[in-house]
Amino acid sequence: VHNFKLVDPAGNESTQDFTILKDIPVLTLNGVENGGVTNGSVTITWDSKLYTVTVNGEAYSKGTIIKNENSYLVEVVDVAGNTNSYSFNIDKTAPAGTLSGVTDGGVTNGTVSASWREANVTATLNGNAYDFNSPYLSSRQAIPGSSIPSRNSRDAPPPVET
């Protein structure tokens, strides 16, 4: 806090107090990082009483749970007009994929592949990385992660243990 004072020759004085704030206002996003994505809920907290916070243009009360799937822009301004912004997404929709060569829960002796449209999806098959549209299990190919070759109906039956 600064104090500005004027005094005239007769001893009359006037004073004015003011504060200079130059720090950027800082918030804490709980449940997601700034610029990140979550499938959970998010709350926003801060320590200063000098902040006004909006989420997607609407006034926000500290600690209110944000849980709906959406893209969010959080803006904060302090009493001096300093601003800062944060963003995050809540995505609760599972990615969808398509199997080619077999249906979910089905059986085949041919080649199976999978595809999907959503970007930034990580795919695995039996715990191993799977590349978009790669063929899997054509006849006589080894099953990833094992030494057992696949069989089709033309192969001799497996040995029977006694």
Side-chain angles (χ1 to χ4, degrees), residues 17 32 45 60 73 91 100 117 125 128 131 133 148 158:
D17 295 324
V32 68
T45 57
Y60 177 81
L73 176 63
D91 178 358
S100 298
R117 293 179 185 231
L125 180 64
N128 298 306
D131 292 326
N133 254 345
I148 302 170

Side-chain angles (χ1 to χ4, degrees), residues 86-122:
Y86 299 78
S87 64
F88 62 91
N89 291 309
I90 296 178
D91 178 358
K92 296 186 178 191
T93 303
T98 302
L99 291 175
S100 298
V102 69
T103 58
D104 184 20
V107 177
T108 185
N109 66 356
T111 300
V112 175
S113 63
S115 60
W116 54 93
R117 293 179 185 231
E118 188 173 339
N120 300 319
V121 170
T122 301

Side-chain angles (χ1 to χ4, degrees), residues 5-154:
K5 183 187 231 183
L6 293 173
V7 180
D8 69 15
N12 300 308
E13 59 182 63
S14 66
T15 61
Q16 296 178 6
D17 295 324
F18 62 95
T19 302
I20 297 175
L21 289 177
K22 290 190 176 188
D23 295 333
I24 295 173
V26 177
L27 303 176
T28 301
L29 299 177
N30 303 294
V32 68
E33 291 184 19
N34 186 25
V37 178
T38 183
N39 62 1
S41 298
V42 175
T43 60
I44 306 165
T45 57
W46 58 91
D47 293 329
S48 178
K49 296 178 183 176
L50 305 176
Y51 293 174
T52 300
V53 178
T54 60
V55 175
N56 290 348
E58 301 289 326
Y60 177 81
S61 297
K62 186 189 311 188
T64 300
I65 297 172
I66 302 169
K67 60 184 176 183
N68 294 332
E69 187 171 49
N70 202 355
S71 295
Y72 292 93
L73 176 63
V74 180
E75 296 177 298
V76 56
V77 60
D78 66 19
V79 295
N82 299 308
T83 62
N84 200 358
S85 63
Y86 299 78
S87 64
F88 62 91
N89 291 309
I90 296 178
D91 178 358
K92 296 186 178 191
T93 303
T98 302
L99 291 175
S100 298
V102 69
T103 58
D104 184 20
V107 177
T108 185
N109 66 356
T111 300
V112 175
S113 63
S115 60
W116 54 93
R117 293 179 185 231
E118 188 173 339
N120 300 319
V121 170
T122 301
T124 61
L125 180 64
N126 298 332
N128 298 306
Y130 180 84
D131 292 326
F132 185 83
N133 254 345
S134 295
Y136 172 71
L137 281 192
S138 61
S139 295
R140 308 292 292 155
Q141 275 186 301
I143 298 171
S146 78
S147 59
I148 302 170
S150 64
R151 297 189 171 272
N152 66 34
S153 59
R154 294 178 297 256

